[in-house]
Amino acid sequence: MTDTPALPVATGLPVLEPHDRRLASAAEGLLASFNAAGVLDAADVQVARRVSTLVEESDETVVLAAALAVRAVRSGSVRLDLTSVHEAEPAWTTEGWAGTLAWPDPGPWVEAVGASALVDAGVLHVRETHVYLDRYWQEEEQVAADLLARAGHAHVVDEDALAAALAAYFPERSTLDFDDQRRAAEVAGRHLTSVITGGPGTGKTTTVARLLGVLAAVAGDRPLRVALAAPTGKAAARMAQAVREATSYPDFPGHGETSGPAADRRARIEALDASTLHRLLGWRPDSSTRFRHDRSNPLPYDLVVVDETSMVSLTLMARLLEAMRPGARLVLVGDADQLASVEAGAVLGDLVRGWEAAGGPVGRLRQARRFGRHIRALAGAIQTGEVDEVLAMLHDGVEPDDPDEGQVGLATTAEVEDLLADRLGGLRAAAAAGDHRGALEAFAAHRLLCAHRDGAYGVSTWNHRAERMLLTASGETWMPEWYAGRPFIVDRNDRGLHLWNGDTGVACTSSDGRLVAVVDDGRSATGRVLPTGRLADVTTAHAMTVHRSQGSQFDEVTVLLPESGSLVLTRELFYTAVTRARRRVRVVGSDAAIRAAVTRRAQRATGLADRLG
């Protein structure tokens, strides 16, 4: 182990109170100063101290690296770059911190960590200047190895059959340009693993539906065993619904026919359902990170299609890849510019970045059709970081005569409160009258999207405001947990009720006068009815976080931006929020907040793109 001289700790008084839960009472030296400044949380310090004690590691710079690696994973990163971690200090440190943090010199720091007892024990791994915790090192290694092995697997393509199927399912015509979709399907037809990426409304699910027909046609008389999956129940239901809708177009091969190969293929595609990835892989009661299907018990499918892959963590992707049969095809679908998984990793972004740089199997869809051109223009300007254009569009506002053109603009808090009061009235009236379809439609018409759960601009604050408005309008003095018009979102999978994290619904009056929970299952217009007493893990959803809105679409969204200093305020978050809307986007926030949201990129340190590229 390399001996490194002890470094001076930061000077200045900590701004956290002595009994603040974020402070680790037993921390000393570097750990104490970085903890007091707000760079490290108590949990980061405690994990690093514990593992260092177990392996008898005494170098405090090494222990600091371990604590920062734990913090990096909590922030969504897979690894920590010791040469640049100090650059985040101004954003990380607690407001009011008066000290100067004593960051170790990068060169000796990398050497000290590489020669440490923590590396010898396999707790940490060092790759060039990057430090990994063991679990994420192993998972990134596995994902890269599995993808490279699948890329090297011999895959014979019947060129004539593929060309004929592409021509049938992606015909050339003037009314709808299928060029991007055809190219993406061709990429998927030639590779065992491929990516179809594009923004909302670019036809990703339509491409998938037609790709299923292409691959089934190429397979010939042998039925293709297909699994459709997504990270959440809501996204899975939307995927299945969108695939069914895509087969209903008159130009879909087999439409209007009662027999024949094309009609049979269409019927099989239309009958497909989708599940969550966890349900596909098979839950195990003894583990939260392992599943029934793995290398020794692979999935029995010829083709697995995963939608909303941007929400898939590194851990879940590792489990999926090890459950794939060597010759089975995997198609990953999603928007690489959206927010990444809540957990560590940015797998879809890494795949697109790594493979596109190397001419790999990525099909990119560019032409958006779902929402109006003004929303599309705003999303594009955010995507490319054109902050002045974004500010001009929002300040000028767009009120086109044709609502299908899309409307964008700024709004004040007072205007949002007036809008919310009007929407709440319609939602509650439909729910109280037992109009389940009307209540679900009212709920889907508009959504408040927040960056934070708490705080002045957070979900909890606006949910509370909404319920205070309902109390004022009704003249009642208290609000029960369940009331007609309460929108909710499921927080945890319930396999017994077939409810999945992200499912939404509205509490409504039933035909016999009881209050019931009506879940928007994506299959029926009136939803699925359940007793409210059986729903344990749900929260009120007058407002929701941008993260939880992924995979959903609403007619209108109101985006509540926090102050410009918020660390979650990024281009990816703003883009994701804006692209949830079909017809109208309202933004509540200062110019400084909008500028920060457009210019600040989400920083996730990962190595998968480098390994693939």
Side-chain angles (χ1 to χ4, degrees), residues 317-336:
M317 183 57 68
R319 301 292 84 82
L320 173 62
L321 286 170
E322 70 184 13
M324 294 291 299
R325 291 188 299 106
R329 197 187 306 268
L330 175 63
V331 179
L332 303 171
V333 185
D335 185 349

Side-chain angles (χ1 to χ4, degrees), residues 195-511:
V195 171
I196 298 175
T197 187
T202 53
K204 294 189 294 294
T205 314
T206 298
T207 304
V208 166
R210 292 175 179 270
L211 170 63
L212 294 175
V214 169
L215 297 179
V218 171
D221 295 334
R222 183 176 61 85
L224 199 65
R225 295 170 296 178
V226 178
L228 305 181
T232 68
K234 182 73 172 179
R238 284 185 55 82
M239 180 189 193
Q241 180 184 19
V243 167
R244 284 192 292 270
E245 289 174 353
T247 65
S248 66
Y249 292 120
D251 68 340
F252 196 94
H255 184 272
E257 300 176 15
T258 57
S259 62
D264 291 343
R265 288 193 293 268
R266 179 184 172 277
R268 285 197 296 270
I269 296 169
E270 191 177 31
L272 287 172
D273 203 353
S275 72
T276 63
L277 272 171
H278 291 79
R279 186 153 54 111
L280 175 72
L281 293 172
W283 288 93
R284 272 177 47 178
D286 61 331
S287 176
S288 60
T289 58
R290 294 286 175 176
F291 300 89
R292 288 191 297 104
H293 290 289
D294 54 20
R295 292 197 199 281
S296 62
N297 180 30
L299 291 164
Y301 300 104
D302 303 307
L303 168 65
V304 176
V305 183
V306 180
D307 198 12
E308 297 293 347
T309 309
S310 63
M311 301 164 65
V312 177
S313 68
L314 178 66
T315 298
L316 191 54
M317 183 57 68
R319 301 292 84 82
L320 173 62
L321 286 170
E322 70 184 13
M324 294 291 299
R325 291 188 299 106
R329 197 187 306 268
L330 175 63
V331 179
L332 303 171
V333 185
D335 185 349
D337 294 311
Q338 279 190 187
L339 285 167
S341 165
V342 175
E343 299 175 31
V347 176
L348 182 64
D350 285 343
L351 290 179
V352 170
R353 190 167 63 254
W355 275 346
E356 281 192 327
V362 176
R364 185 178 285 276
L365 310 182
R366 295 175 174 83
Q367 186 175 348
R369 301 179 178 90
R370 182 185 298 164
F371 41 63
R373 63 184 178 91
H374 297 297
I375 297 175
R376 186 164 65 246
L378 177 62
I382 294 170
Q383 204 172 16
T384 54
E386 298 173 60
V387 64
D388 291 335
E389 183 175 344
V390 170
L391 285 167
M393 292 180 68
L394 291 174
H395 276 286
D396 292 346
V398 180
E399 295 283 348
D401 295 332
D402 182 359
D404 289 337
E405 290 289 279
Q407 303 177 35
V408 301
L410 295 172
T412 65
T413 301
E415 289 171 339
V416 173
E417 288 180 334
D418 290 342
L419 170 69
L420 184 58
D422 179 64
R423 299 300 170 89
L424 289 172
L427 174 61
R428 189 161 198 184
D435 181 2
H436 295 181
R437 178 175 181 173
L440 292 176
E441 289 178 348
F443 182 40
H446 174 259
R447 196 61 47 88
L448 290 176
L449 299 182
C450 306
H452 293 280
R453 290 187 180 89
D454 303 309
Y457 303 94
V459 169
S460 59
T461 297
W462 281 88
N463 276 332
H464 180 70
R465 282 191 184 188
E467 292 185 337
R468 293 296 304 175
M469 290 178 189
L470 288 171
L471 278 175
T472 301
S474 66
E476 298 170 355
T477 57
W478 70 286
M479 182 71 72
E481 178 185 9
W482 287 99
Y483 53 86
R486 180 200 179 190
F488 60 85
I489 185 167
V490 177
D491 294 327
R492 186 178 301 176
N493 295 332
D494 186 327
R495 297 190 295 279
L497 292 177
H498 296 286
L499 289 177
W500 312 107
N501 184 10
D503 284 352
T504 57
V506 180
C508 298
T509 303
S510 65
S511 57

Side-chain angles (χ1 to χ4, degrees), residues 503-591:
D503 284 352
T504 57
V506 180
C508 298
T509 303
S510 65
S511 57
D512 59 4
R514 293 180 298 113
L515 196 63
V516 295
V518 181
V519 180
D520 183 3
D521 59 3
R523 295 174 176 83
S524 63
T526 55
R528 185 162 66 98
V529 176
L530 293 169
T532 58
R534 297 198 62 187
L535 275 63
D537 295 305
V538 299
T539 52
T540 302
H542 294 292
M544 65 169 53
T545 62
V546 177
H547 260 294
R548 302 215 70 183
S549 73
Q550 285 182 270
S552 299
Q553 287 283 304
F554 314 103
D555 288 340
E556 302 180 10
V557 300
T558 298
V559 185
L560 300 165
L561 297 181
E563 296 293 345
S564 59
S566 170
L567 297 183
V568 303
L569 194 57
T570 63
R571 181 183 302 175
E572 289 78 4
L573 179 133
F574 198 18
Y575 169 82
T576 302
V578 164
T579 54
R580 298 310 92 199
R582 295 187 186 93
R583 298 182 181 276
R584 183 161 190 164
V585 174
R586 299 177 183 83
V587 176
V588 180
S590 64
D591 282 6

